Amino acid sequence: MVSEIRLFTRNAVAKAKLVVANPDEPAAPAGGGGFAEWAMLALHALRIEFGKSYR
């Protein structure tokens, strides 16, 4: 069974990858430096959808 969170996350990632400059960038690139743009957009969408803080 697929959960609501999983479905929402899958859709958020797909839509985020449509609007960034480099959709093929790994979520956490090797060598550090932060997350890919599409990953940050998907995390922000999850935070808004579920009304939670980043903590």
Side-chain angles (χ1 to χ4, degrees):
M1 183 173 176
V2 181
S3 70
E4 179 182 339
I5 294 172
R6 184 173 175 184
L7 287 173
F8 182 84
T9 304
R10 185 179 293 159
N11 287 331
V13 168
K15 290 184 187 325
K17 284 186 173 189
L18 291 174
V19 297
V20 297
N22 185 6
D24 296 326
E25 182 180 9
F35 294 103
E37 288 179 347
W38 62 264
M40 292 298 291
L41 287 170
L43 287 171
H44 191 64
L46 280 166
R47 185 187 71 79
I48 291 170
E49 177 69 18
F50 295 107
K52 301 292 182 179
S53 71
Y54 285 118
R55 291 182 145 213

